[in-house]
mmCIF file of all heavy atoms in Angstrom:
data_model
loop_
_atom_site.group_PDB
_atom_site.id
_atom_site.type_symbol
_atom_site.label_atom_id
_atom_site.label_comp_id
_atom_site.label_asym_id
_atom_site.label_seq_id
_atom_site.Cartn_x
_atom_site.Cartn_y
_atom_site.Cartn_z
ATOM 1 N N ASN A 293 -115.456 -48.219 -14.002
ATOM 2 C CA ASN A 293 -115.899 -47.261 -15.000
ATOM 3 C C ASN A 293 -117.324 -47.604 -15.393
ATOM 4 O O ASN A 293 -117.682 -48.793 -15.481
ATOM 5 C CB ASN A 293 -114.966 -47.350 -16.227
ATOM 6 C CG ASN A 293 -115.443 -46.545 -17.409
ATOM 7 O OD1 ASN A 293 -116.290 -45.673 -17.292
ATOM 8 N ND2 ASN A 293 -114.882 -46.838 -18.568
ATOM 9 N N GLN A 295 -120.191 -46.051 -18.304
ATOM 10 C CA GLN A 295 -120.491 -45.077 -19.339
ATOM 11 C C GLN A 295 -121.890 -45.314 -19.891
ATOM 12 O O GLN A 295 -122.356 -46.456 -19.962
ATOM 13 C CB GLN A 295 -119.477 -45.164 -20.499
ATOM 14 C CG GLN A 295 -118.085 -44.700 -20.111
ATOM 15 C CD GLN A 295 -117.118 -44.700 -21.289
ATOM 16 O OE1 GLN A 295 -116.119 -45.402 -21.301
ATOM 17 N NE2 GLN A 295 -117.432 -43.891 -22.303
ATOM 18 N N PHE A 297 -124.110 -44.558 -23.397
ATOM 19 C CA PHE A 297 -123.981 -44.236 -24.810
ATOM 20 C C PHE A 297 -125.370 -44.160 -25.439
ATOM 21 O O PHE A 297 -126.300 -44.846 -25.016
ATOM 22 C CB PHE A 297 -123.195 -45.324 -25.559
ATOM 23 C CG PHE A 297 -121.774 -45.511 -25.126
ATOM 24 C CD1 PHE A 297 -121.452 -46.438 -24.151
ATOM 25 C CD2 PHE A 297 -120.750 -44.782 -25.707
ATOM 26 C CE1 PHE A 297 -120.138 -46.642 -23.759
ATOM 27 C CE2 PHE A 297 -119.430 -44.973 -25.322
ATOM 28 C CZ PHE A 297 -119.136 -45.900 -24.343
ATOM 29 N N GLN A 299 -126.889 -44.874 -29.214
ATOM 30 C CA GLN A 299 -126.581 -45.361 -30.557
ATOM 31 C C GLN A 299 -127.610 -44.793 -31.518
ATOM 32 O O GLN A 299 -128.819 -45.035 -31.372
ATOM 33 C CB GLN A 299 -126.584 -46.888 -30.630
ATOM 34 C CG GLN A 299 -126.077 -47.412 -31.972
ATOM 35 C CD GLN A 299 -125.816 -48.896 -31.950
ATOM 36 O OE1 GLN A 299 -126.582 -49.666 -31.375
ATOM 37 N NE2 GLN A 299 -124.720 -49.319 -32.585
ATOM 38 N N PRO A 301 -129.419 -44.048 -35.349
ATOM 39 C CA PRO A 301 -129.917 -45.004 -36.354
ATOM 40 C C PRO A 301 -128.843 -45.482 -37.324
ATOM 41 O O PRO A 301 -129.037 -46.504 -37.987
ATOM 42 C CB PRO A 301 -131.005 -44.195 -37.071
ATOM 43 C CG PRO A 301 -131.469 -43.206 -36.053
ATOM 44 C CD PRO A 301 -130.239 -42.842 -35.282
ATOM 45 N N TRP A 302 -127.738 -44.791 -37.457
ATOM 46 C CA TRP A 302 -126.665 -45.199 -38.351
ATOM 47 C C TRP A 302 -125.666 -46.126 -37.649
ATOM 48 O O TRP A 302 -124.702 -46.560 -38.251
ATOM 49 C CB TRP A 302 -125.941 -43.965 -38.895
ATOM 50 C CG TRP A 302 -126.865 -43.128 -39.728
ATOM 51 C CD1 TRP A 302 -127.108 -43.224 -41.065
ATOM 52 C CD2 TRP A 302 -127.715 -42.086 -39.244
ATOM 53 N NE1 TRP A 302 -128.050 -42.300 -41.433
ATOM 54 C CE2 TRP A 302 -128.436 -41.589 -40.359
ATOM 55 C CE3 TRP A 302 -127.946 -41.521 -37.978
ATOM 56 C CZ2 TRP A 302 -129.369 -40.549 -40.240
ATOM 57 C CZ3 TRP A 302 -128.869 -40.487 -37.860
ATOM 58 C CH2 TRP A 302 -129.567 -40.015 -38.994
ATOM 59 N N GLY A 303 -125.914 -46.410 -36.390
ATOM 60 C CA GLY A 303 -125.079 -47.357 -35.668
ATOM 61 C C GLY A 303 -123.957 -46.747 -34.861
ATOM 62 O O GLY A 303 -123.239 -47.454 -34.152
ATOM 63 N N GLN A 304 -123.778 -45.447 -34.958
ATOM 64 C CA GLN A 304 -122.679 -44.816 -34.244
ATOM 65 C C GLN A 304 -122.999 -44.671 -32.765
ATOM 66 O O GLN A 304 -124.118 -44.319 -32.396
ATOM 67 C CB GLN A 304 -122.366 -43.448 -34.829
ATOM 68 C CG GLN A 304 -121.126 -42.806 -34.243
ATOM 69 C CD GLN A 304 -120.687 -41.581 -35.008
ATOM 70 O OE1 GLN A 304 -121.392 -41.115 -35.903
ATOM 71 N NE2 GLN A 304 -119.518 -41.061 -34.667
ATOM 72 N N LEU A 305 -122.003 -44.949 -31.929
ATOM 73 C CA LEU A 305 -122.147 -44.795 -30.487
ATOM 74 C C LEU A 305 -121.684 -43.405 -30.073
ATOM 75 O O LEU A 305 -120.534 -43.042 -30.303
ATOM 76 C CB LEU A 305 -121.312 -45.836 -29.745
ATOM 77 C CG LEU A 305 -121.876 -47.237 -29.621
ATOM 78 C CD1 LEU A 305 -120.898 -48.124 -28.874
ATOM 79 C CD2 LEU A 305 -123.198 -47.248 -28.897
ATOM 80 N N ASN A 307 -120.967 -40.841 -27.026
ATOM 81 C CA ASN A 307 -120.724 -40.787 -25.579
ATOM 82 C C ASN A 307 -121.679 -39.787 -24.918
ATOM 83 O O ASN A 307 -121.754 -38.628 -25.330
ATOM 84 C CB ASN A 307 -119.285 -40.348 -25.301
ATOM 85 C CG ASN A 307 -118.282 -41.434 -25.612
ATOM 86 O OD1 ASN A 307 -118.390 -42.094 -26.644
ATOM 87 N ND2 ASN A 307 -117.313 -41.599 -24.747
ATOM 88 N N PHE A 309 -122.226 -39.992 -21.035
ATOM 89 C CA PHE A 309 -121.616 -39.744 -19.736
ATOM 90 C C PHE A 309 -120.571 -40.803 -19.411
ATOM 91 O O PHE A 309 -120.767 -41.975 -19.693
ATOM 92 C CB PHE A 309 -122.669 -39.760 -18.612
ATOM 93 C CG PHE A 309 -123.662 -38.647 -18.675
ATOM 94 C CD1 PHE A 309 -124.933 -38.870 -19.180
ATOM 95 C CD2 PHE A 309 -123.327 -37.382 -18.224
ATOM 96 C CE1 PHE A 309 -125.856 -37.838 -19.240
ATOM 97 C CE2 PHE A 309 -124.248 -36.345 -18.278
ATOM 98 C CZ PHE A 309 -125.515 -36.572 -18.791
ATOM 99 N N TYR A 310 -119.483 -40.321 -18.831
ATOM 100 C CA TYR A 310 -118.545 -41.194 -18.127
ATOM 101 C C TYR A 310 -118.808 -40.935 -16.657
ATOM 102 O O TYR A 310 -118.566 -39.833 -16.162
ATOM 103 C CB TYR A 310 -117.107 -40.848 -18.501
ATOM 104 C CG TYR A 310 -116.080 -41.436 -17.556
ATOM 105 C CD1 TYR A 310 -115.835 -42.796 -17.545
ATOM 106 C CD2 TYR A 310 -115.369 -40.625 -16.665
ATOM 107 C CE1 TYR A 310 -114.903 -43.337 -16.666
ATOM 108 C CE2 TYR A 310 -114.447 -41.159 -15.805
ATOM 109 C CZ TYR A 310 -114.214 -42.513 -15.795
ATOM 110 O OH TYR A 310 -113.297 -43.043 -14.922
ATOM 111 N N PHE A 348 -127.256 -47.456 -24.294
ATOM 112 C CA PHE A 348 -126.485 -48.528 -23.687
ATOM 113 C C PHE A 348 -125.754 -48.032 -22.449
ATOM 114 O O PHE A 348 -125.194 -46.930 -22.422
ATOM 115 C CB PHE A 348 -125.437 -49.067 -24.662
ATOM 116 C CG PHE A 348 -125.984 -49.907 -25.774
ATOM 117 C CD1 PHE A 348 -126.056 -49.405 -27.059
ATOM 118 C CD2 PHE A 348 -126.413 -51.204 -25.536
ATOM 119 C CE1 PHE A 348 -126.556 -50.185 -28.093
ATOM 120 C CE2 PHE A 348 -126.906 -51.982 -26.563
ATOM 121 C CZ PHE A 348 -126.988 -51.470 -27.842
ATOM 122 N N GLU A 352 -116.770 -51.231 -16.863
ATOM 123 C CA GLU A 352 -115.438 -51.821 -16.877
ATOM 124 C C GLU A 352 -115.186 -52.418 -15.501
ATOM 125 O O GLU A 352 -115.206 -51.708 -14.496
ATOM 126 C CB GLU A 352 -114.375 -50.771 -17.188
ATOM 127 C CG GLU A 352 -112.944 -51.301 -17.129
ATOM 128 C CD GLU A 352 -111.923 -50.203 -16.888
ATOM 129 O OE1 GLU A 352 -112.254 -49.027 -17.081
ATOM 130 O OE2 GLU A 352 -110.785 -50.539 -16.499
ATOM 131 N N ASN A 357 -108.553 -53.923 -17.663
ATOM 132 C CA ASN A 357 -107.808 -53.115 -18.637
ATOM 133 C C ASN A 357 -108.691 -52.468 -19.693
ATOM 134 O O ASN A 357 -108.460 -52.604 -20.893
ATOM 135 C CB ASN A 357 -106.740 -53.964 -19.331
ATOM 136 C CG ASN A 357 -105.549 -54.216 -18.442
ATOM 137 O OD1 ASN A 357 -105.201 -53.388 -17.602
ATOM 138 N ND2 ASN A 357 -104.928 -55.351 -18.621
ATOM 139 N N TYR A 358 -109.708 -51.760 -19.218
ATOM 140 C CA TYR A 358 -110.570 -50.932 -20.064
ATOM 141 C C TYR A 358 -111.543 -51.723 -20.933
ATOM 142 O O TYR A 358 -112.254 -51.132 -21.749
ATOM 143 C CB TYR A 358 -109.754 -50.004 -20.963
ATOM 144 C CG TYR A 358 -108.837 -49.066 -20.215
ATOM 145 C CD1 TYR A 358 -107.509 -48.902 -20.606
ATOM 146 C CD2 TYR A 358 -109.297 -48.340 -19.131
ATOM 147 C CE1 TYR A 358 -106.665 -48.038 -19.925
ATOM 148 C CE2 TYR A 358 -108.463 -47.468 -18.441
ATOM 149 C CZ TYR A 358 -107.155 -47.326 -18.847
ATOM 150 O OH TYR A 358 -106.321 -46.471 -18.168
ATOM 151 N N LYS A 359 -111.614 -53.040 -20.786
ATOM 152 C CA LYS A 359 -112.602 -53.794 -21.546
ATOM 153 C C LYS A 359 -113.991 -53.466 -21.021
ATOM 154 O O LYS A 359 -114.219 -53.472 -19.814
ATOM 155 C CB LYS A 359 -112.368 -55.293 -21.413
ATOM 156 C CG LYS A 359 -111.032 -55.774 -21.949
ATOM 157 C CD LYS A 359 -110.885 -57.262 -21.688
ATOM 158 C CE LYS A 359 -109.513 -57.753 -22.113
ATOM 159 N NZ LYS A 359 -109.335 -59.194 -21.836
ATOM 160 N N LEU A 360 -114.922 -53.208 -21.921
ATOM 161 C CA LEU A 360 -116.275 -52.855 -21.527
ATOM 162 C C LEU A 360 -117.236 -54.019 -21.698
ATOM 163 O O LEU A 360 -117.176 -54.747 -22.694
ATOM 164 C CB LEU A 360 -116.776 -51.675 -22.357
ATOM 165 C CG LEU A 360 -116.108 -50.321 -22.099
ATOM 166 C CD1 LEU A 360 -116.684 -49.265 -23.032
ATOM 167 C CD2 LEU A 360 -116.283 -49.896 -20.649
ATOM 168 N N PHE A 362 -121.283 -54.546 -21.974
ATOM 169 C CA PHE A 362 -122.465 -53.755 -22.276
ATOM 170 C C PHE A 362 -123.734 -54.433 -21.776
ATOM 171 O O PHE A 362 -123.847 -55.667 -21.785
ATOM 172 C CB PHE A 362 -122.597 -53.561 -23.787
ATOM 173 C CG PHE A 362 -121.700 -52.500 -24.341
ATOM 174 C CD1 PHE A 362 -120.349 -52.749 -24.517
ATOM 175 C CD2 PHE A 362 -122.192 -51.256 -24.685
ATOM 176 C CE1 PHE A 362 -119.497 -51.775 -25.024
ATOM 177 C CE2 PHE A 362 -121.359 -50.274 -25.195
ATOM 178 C CZ PHE A 362 -120.013 -50.537 -25.358
ATOM 179 N N GLY A 363 -124.696 -53.614 -21.362
ATOM 180 C CA GLY A 363 -126.044 -54.106 -21.168
ATOM 181 C C GLY A 363 -126.723 -54.294 -22.517
ATOM 182 O O GLY A 363 -126.158 -53.967 -23.569
ATOM 183 N N LYS A 364 -127.947 -54.798 -22.489
ATOM 184 C CA LYS A 364 -128.653 -55.076 -23.731
ATOM 185 C C LYS A 364 -129.310 -53.843 -24.322
ATOM 186 O O LYS A 364 -129.841 -53.894 -25.432
ATOM 187 C CB LYS A 364 -129.691 -56.173 -23.515
ATOM 188 C CG LYS A 364 -129.068 -57.527 -23.203
ATOM 189 C CD LYS A 364 -130.122 -58.624 -23.110
ATOM 190 C CE LYS A 364 -129.445 -59.986 -22.890
ATOM 191 N NZ LYS A 364 -130.437 -61.087 -22.813
ATOM 192 N N GLY A 365 -129.323 -52.761 -23.576
ATOM 193 C CA GLY A 365 -129.818 -51.509 -24.119
ATOM 194 C C GLY A 365 -131.293 -51.262 -23.858
ATOM 195 O O GLY A 365 -132.062 -52.173 -23.554
ATOM 196 N N MET B 195 -103.908 -49.362 -26.262
ATOM 197 C CA MET B 195 -104.775 -50.474 -26.633
ATOM 198 C C MET B 195 -105.890 -49.992 -27.550
ATOM 199 O O MET B 195 -106.412 -48.887 -27.399
ATOM 200 C CB MET B 195 -105.379 -51.111 -25.380
ATOM 201 C CG MET B 195 -104.362 -51.884 -24.538
ATOM 202 S SD MET B 195 -105.095 -52.658 -23.096
ATOM 203 C CE MET B 195 -105.364 -51.230 -22.071
ATOM 204 N N PHE B 197 -109.583 -51.653 -29.211
ATOM 205 C CA PHE B 197 -110.529 -52.745 -28.988
ATOM 206 C C PHE B 197 -111.444 -52.887 -30.204
ATOM 207 O O PHE B 197 -111.838 -51.897 -30.812
ATOM 208 C CB PHE B 197 -111.385 -52.460 -27.749
ATOM 209 C CG PHE B 197 -110.586 -52.267 -26.489
ATOM 210 C CD1 PHE B 197 -110.174 -50.999 -26.109
ATOM 211 C CD2 PHE B 197 -110.250 -53.343 -25.695
ATOM 212 C CE1 PHE B 197 -109.437 -50.806 -24.951
ATOM 213 C CE2 PHE B 197 -109.512 -53.160 -24.531
ATOM 214 C CZ PHE B 197 -109.102 -51.899 -24.165
ATOM 215 N N TYR B 199 -115.153 -54.543 -31.308
ATOM 216 C CA TYR B 199 -116.425 -55.061 -30.822
ATOM 217 C C TYR B 199 -117.293 -55.487 -32.003
ATOM 218 O O TYR B 199 -117.188 -54.940 -33.097
ATOM 219 C CB TYR B 199 -117.177 -53.994 -30.016
ATOM 220 C CG TYR B 199 -116.579 -53.670 -28.670
ATOM 221 C CD1 TYR B 199 -115.519 -52.776 -28.564
ATOM 222 C CD2 TYR B 199 -117.077 -54.241 -27.503
ATOM 223 C CE1 TYR B 199 -114.966 -52.464 -27.324
ATOM 224 C CE2 TYR B 199 -116.539 -53.936 -26.258
ATOM 225 C CZ TYR B 199 -115.481 -53.047 -26.181
ATOM 226 O OH TYR B 199 -114.949 -52.743 -24.953
ATOM 227 N N GLN B 201 -121.455 -56.127 -33.011
ATOM 228 C CA GLN B 201 -122.848 -55.963 -32.629
ATOM 229 C C GLN B 201 -123.704 -56.683 -33.656
ATOM 230 O O GLN B 201 -123.910 -56.171 -34.770
ATOM 231 C CB GLN B 201 -123.236 -54.492 -32.532
ATOM 232 C CG GLN B 201 -124.654 -54.285 -32.025
ATOM 233 C CD GLN B 201 -125.040 -52.825 -31.942
ATOM 234 O OE1 GLN B 201 -124.479 -51.974 -32.622
ATOM 235 N NE2 GLN B 201 -125.999 -52.516 -31.085
ATOM 236 N N GLN B 205 -128.793 -56.801 -31.261
ATOM 237 C CA GLN B 205 -128.119 -57.245 -30.039
ATOM 238 C C GLN B 205 -127.237 -56.134 -29.462
ATOM 239 O O GLN B 205 -127.109 -55.051 -30.042
ATOM 240 C CB GLN B 205 -127.264 -58.486 -30.332
ATOM 241 C CG GLN B 205 -128.031 -59.646 -30.928
ATOM 242 C CD GLN B 205 -129.073 -60.193 -29.984
ATOM 243 O OE1 GLN B 205 -128.806 -60.429 -28.803
ATOM 244 N NE2 GLN B 205 -130.284 -60.392 -30.493
ATOM 245 N N SER B 206 -126.633 -56.470 -28.334
ATOM 246 C CA SER B 206 -125.703 -55.541 -27.705
ATOM 247 C C SER B 206 -124.295 -55.735 -28.289
ATOM 248 O O SER B 206 -124.091 -56.532 -29.202
ATOM 249 C CB SER B 206 -125.685 -55.797 -26.202
ATOM 250 O OG SER B 206 -124.905 -54.828 -25.555
ATOM 251 N N LEU B 207 -123.356 -54.981 -27.770
ATOM 252 C CA LEU B 207 -121.977 -55.082 -28.237
ATOM 253 C C LEU B 207 -121.222 -56.135 -27.432
ATOM 254 O O LEU B 207 -121.366 -56.216 -26.208
ATOM 255 C CB LEU B 207 -121.253 -53.745 -28.079
ATOM 256 C CG LEU B 207 -121.534 -52.688 -29.129
ATOM 257 C CD1 LEU B 207 -122.874 -52.019 -28.888
ATOM 258 C CD2 LEU B 207 -120.420 -51.641 -29.141
ATOM 259 N N LEU B 209 -117.205 -57.759 -27.013
ATOM 260 C CA LEU B 209 -115.791 -57.556 -27.315
ATOM 261 C C LEU B 209 -115.231 -58.764 -28.066
ATOM 262 O O LEU B 209 -115.392 -59.904 -27.619
ATOM 263 C CB LEU B 209 -115.006 -57.335 -26.022
ATOM 264 C CG LEU B 209 -113.511 -57.088 -26.165
ATOM 265 C CD1 LEU B 209 -113.234 -55.790 -26.925
ATOM 266 C CD2 LEU B 209 -112.838 -57.054 -24.790
ATOM 267 N N THR B 212 -108.606 -57.444 -28.018
ATOM 268 C CA THR B 212 -107.814 -56.267 -27.692
ATOM 269 C C THR B 212 -106.548 -56.291 -28.541
ATOM 270 O O THR B 212 -105.832 -57.311 -28.565
ATOM 271 C CB THR B 212 -107.417 -56.269 -26.202
ATOM 272 O OG1 THR B 212 -108.588 -56.371 -25.404
ATOM 273 C CG2 THR B 212 -106.658 -55.005 -25.848
ATOM 274 N N THR B 220 -105.258 -60.104 -28.130
ATOM 275 C CA THR B 220 -105.842 -60.984 -27.118
ATOM 276 C C THR B 220 -107.322 -61.149 -27.427
ATOM 277 O O THR B 220 -108.062 -60.165 -27.435
ATOM 278 C CB THR B 220 -105.678 -60.371 -25.712
ATOM 279 O OG1 THR B 220 -104.306 -60.110 -25.462
ATOM 280 C CG2 THR B 220 -106.213 -61.330 -24.663
ATOM 281 N N GLU B 222 -111.224 -62.709 -26.956
ATOM 282 C CA GLU B 222 -112.200 -63.107 -25.945
ATOM 283 C C GLU B 222 -112.741 -64.502 -26.282
ATOM 284 O O GLU B 222 -112.609 -64.982 -27.410
ATOM 285 C CB GLU B 222 -113.345 -62.108 -25.888
ATOM 286 C CG GLU B 222 -112.896 -60.711 -25.502
ATOM 287 C CD GLU B 222 -112.227 -60.644 -24.141
ATOM 288 O OE1 GLU B 222 -112.848 -61.118 -23.154
ATOM 289 O OE2 GLU B 222 -111.099 -60.120 -24.057
ATOM 290 N N ILE B 254 -122.539 -55.101 -37.098
ATOM 291 C CA ILE B 254 -121.774 -53.854 -37.068
ATOM 292 C C ILE B 254 -120.491 -54.146 -36.289
ATOM 293 O O ILE B 254 -120.542 -54.708 -35.187
ATOM 294 C CB ILE B 254 -122.557 -52.719 -36.397
ATOM 295 C CG1 ILE B 254 -123.844 -52.432 -37.162
ATOM 296 C CG2 ILE B 254 -121.690 -51.450 -36.318
ATOM 297 C CD1 ILE B 254 -124.733 -51.397 -36.489
ATOM 298 N N LEU B 256 -117.156 -52.408 -34.572
ATOM 299 C CA LEU B 256 -116.729 -51.103 -34.069
ATOM 300 C C LEU B 256 -115.364 -51.209 -33.400
ATOM 301 O O LEU B 256 -115.099 -52.165 -32.669
ATOM 302 C CB LEU B 256 -117.729 -50.549 -33.054
ATOM 303 C CG LEU B 256 -119.162 -50.338 -33.532
ATOM 304 C CD1 LEU B 256 -120.054 -51.450 -33.031
ATOM 305 C CD2 LEU B 256 -119.687 -48.988 -33.060
ATOM 306 N N ASN B 260 -109.207 -45.920 -25.639
ATOM 307 C CA ASN B 260 -109.178 -45.048 -24.470
ATOM 308 C C ASN B 260 -107.989 -44.110 -24.642
ATOM 309 O O ASN B 260 -106.846 -44.560 -24.609
ATOM 310 C CB ASN B 260 -108.990 -45.851 -23.192
ATOM 311 C CG ASN B 260 -110.171 -46.724 -22.886
ATOM 312 O OD1 ASN B 260 -110.407 -47.721 -23.560
ATOM 313 N ND2 ASN B 260 -110.909 -46.349 -21.879
ATOM 314 N N ARG B 264 -106.909 -41.779 -19.879
ATOM 315 C CA ARG B 264 -108.342 -41.619 -19.653
ATOM 316 C C ARG B 264 -109.028 -42.968 -19.605
ATOM 317 O O ARG B 264 -108.757 -43.852 -20.412
ATOM 318 C CB ARG B 264 -108.963 -40.757 -20.754
ATOM 319 C CG ARG B 264 -108.432 -39.348 -20.788
ATOM 320 C CD ARG B 264 -109.197 -38.511 -21.779
ATOM 321 N NE ARG B 264 -110.593 -38.375 -21.401
ATOM 322 C CZ ARG B 264 -111.454 -37.600 -22.045
ATOM 323 N NH1 ARG B 264 -111.046 -36.913 -23.086
ATOM 324 N NH2 ARG B 264 -112.715 -37.511 -21.657
ATOM 325 N N ALA B 265 -109.965 -43.111 -18.672
ATOM 326 C CA ALA B 265 -110.732 -44.345 -18.572
ATOM 327 C C ALA B 265 -111.929 -44.340 -19.507
ATOM 328 O O ALA B 265 -112.528 -45.383 -19.747
ATOM 329 C CB ALA B 265 -111.195 -44.555 -17.139
ATOM 330 N N GLU B 266 -112.287 -43.179 -20.049
ATOM 331 C CA GLU B 266 -113.453 -43.076 -20.914
ATOM 332 C C GLU B 266 -113.130 -43.623 -22.294
ATOM 333 O O GLU B 266 -112.116 -43.256 -22.902
ATOM 334 C CB GLU B 266 -113.899 -41.625 -21.024
ATOM 335 C CG GLU B 266 -115.183 -41.430 -21.810
ATOM 336 C CD GLU B 266 -115.639 -39.974 -21.801
ATOM 337 O OE1 GLU B 266 -114.884 -39.128 -21.282
ATOM 338 O OE2 GLU B 266 -116.743 -39.702 -22.299
ATOM 339 N N ALA B 267 -113.999 -44.489 -22.798
ATOM 340 C CA ALA B 267 -113.813 -45.098 -24.108
ATOM 341 C C ALA B 267 -114.548 -44.317 -25.180
ATOM 342 O O ALA B 267 -115.633 -43.766 -24.933
ATOM 343 C CB ALA B 267 -114.335 -46.538 -24.080
ATOM 344 N N PHE B 268 -113.952 -44.289 -26.370
ATOM 345 C CA PHE B 268 -114.560 -43.643 -27.530
ATOM 346 C C PHE B 268 -114.593 -44.641 -28.680
ATOM 347 O O PHE B 268 -113.686 -45.475 -28.820
ATOM 348 C CB PHE B 268 -113.763 -42.391 -27.926
ATOM 349 C CG PHE B 268 -113.820 -41.311 -26.891
ATOM 350 C CD1 PHE B 268 -112.913 -41.286 -25.839
ATOM 351 C CD2 PHE B 268 -114.796 -40.325 -26.939
ATOM 352 C CE1 PHE B 268 -112.968 -40.311 -24.864
ATOM 353 C CE2 PHE B 268 -114.854 -39.330 -25.974
ATOM 354 C CZ PHE B 268 -113.947 -39.327 -24.937
ATOM 355 N N PHE B 269 -115.636 -44.520 -29.501
ATOM 356 C CA PHE B 269 -115.863 -45.484 -30.560
ATOM 357 C C PHE B 269 -115.800 -44.839 -31.934
ATOM 358 O O PHE B 269 -116.195 -43.659 -32.107
ATOM 359 C CB PHE B 269 -117.232 -46.145 -30.385
ATOM 360 C CG PHE B 269 -117.253 -47.175 -29.293
ATOM 361 C CD1 PHE B 269 -117.334 -46.803 -27.960
ATOM 362 C CD2 PHE B 269 -117.186 -48.530 -29.605
ATOM 363 C CE1 PHE B 269 -117.340 -47.756 -26.951
ATOM 364 C CE2 PHE B 269 -117.196 -49.484 -28.599
ATOM 365 C CZ PHE B 269 -117.272 -49.087 -27.278
ATOM 366 N N GLY B 270 -115.341 -45.632 -32.906
ATOM 367 C CA GLY B 270 -115.469 -45.238 -34.288
ATOM 368 C C GLY B 270 -116.921 -45.326 -34.721
ATOM 369 O O GLY B 270 -117.787 -45.794 -33.970
ATOM 370 N N GLN B 271 -117.183 -44.888 -35.942
ATOM 371 C CA GLN B 271 -118.570 -44.817 -36.405
ATOM 372 C C GLN B 271 -119.122 -46.178 -36.799
ATOM 373 O O GLN B 271 -120.313 -46.314 -37.077
ATOM 374 C CB GLN B 271 -118.708 -43.840 -37.580
ATOM 375 C CG GLN B 271 -118.109 -44.320 -38.889
ATOM 376 C CD GLN B 271 -116.662 -43.895 -39.036
ATOM 377 O OE1 GLN B 271 -115.875 -43.875 -38.093
ATOM 378 N NE2 GLN B 271 -116.294 -43.520 -40.259
ATOM 379 N N ARG B 274 -120.842 -51.404 -41.006
ATOM 380 C CA ARG B 274 -122.036 -52.258 -41.123
ATOM 381 C C ARG B 274 -121.795 -53.257 -42.234
ATOM 382 O O ARG B 274 -121.746 -52.899 -43.411
ATOM 383 C CB ARG B 274 -123.271 -51.407 -41.393
ATOM 384 C CG ARG B 274 -124.577 -52.176 -41.326
ATOM 385 C CD ARG B 274 -125.748 -51.253 -41.616
ATOM 386 N NE ARG B 274 -125.915 -50.228 -40.605
ATOM 387 C CZ ARG B 274 -126.673 -50.326 -39.530
ATOM 388 N NH1 ARG B 274 -127.337 -51.449 -39.299
ATOM 389 N NH2 ARG B 274 -126.777 -49.320 -38.685
#
Side-chain angles (χ1 to χ4, degrees):
Chain A
N293 172 17
Q295 291 184 242
F297 297 92
Q299 188 168 41
W302 296 271
Q304 187 169 8
L305 280 179
N307 287 44
F309 294 101
Y310 164 71
F348 287 106
E352 176 203 343
N357 284 329
Y358 302 133
K359 298 177 185 179
L360 291 178
F362 281 76
K364 293 185 176 181
Chain B
M195 290 181 287
F197 302 92
Y199 289 82
Q201 185 180 24
Q205 303 296 313
S206 186
L207 281 78
L209 181 64
T212 304
T220 304
E222 298 300 306
I254 299 175
L256 301 102
N260 293 72
R264 297 187 63 174
E266 185 176 6
F268 294 87
F269 284 79
Q271 72 269 38
R274 189 180 295 269

